[in-house]
Amino acid sequence: MTQIVVDTTKCVGAAQCVLSAPDLFDQDDDGFVLVLEENPTGELAQSAATAATLCPSQAITVQD
């Protein structure tokens, strides 16, 4: 099972995750990452991996 883990202390609010995977990520009122689906499957799991790669602060980890 795929699990998305975020370290909000590392998030810089660049929103690359939201732009690359809007079904999985959003931003709170302060601009920091929110995970909408912690355990994505199928194509969404691949989107999560892409978002983790694009995150400039390396705040997103995808575990299988």
Side-chain angles (χ1 to χ4, degrees), residues 23-64:
D23 292 335
L24 298 174
F25 301 99
D26 201 353
Q27 289 179 293
D28 65 15
D29 291 338
D30 294 320
F32 298 113
V33 64
L34 290 175
V35 178
L36 302 176
E37 174 61 50
E38 290 184 8
N39 300 108
T41 58
E43 197 171 301
L44 288 179
Q46 182 58 44
S47 294
T50 299
T53 302
L54 293 174
C55 179
S57 63
Q58 306 281 303
I60 301 169
T61 305
V62 178
Q63 301 171 344
D64 288 319

Side-chain angles (χ1 to χ4, degrees), residues 1-3 9-10 14 38 42:
M1 174 172 45
T2 300
Q3 181 178 11
T9 64
K10 288 183 177 181
E38 290 184 8

Side-chain angles (χ1 to χ4, degrees), residues 3-27:
Q3 181 178 11
I4 299 171
V5 179
V6 297
D7 182 349
T8 55
T9 64
K10 288 183 177 181
C11 181
V12 296
Q16 294 303 304
C17 56
V18 178
L19 294 172
S20 65
D23 292 335
L24 298 174
F25 301 99
D26 201 353
Q27 289 179 293

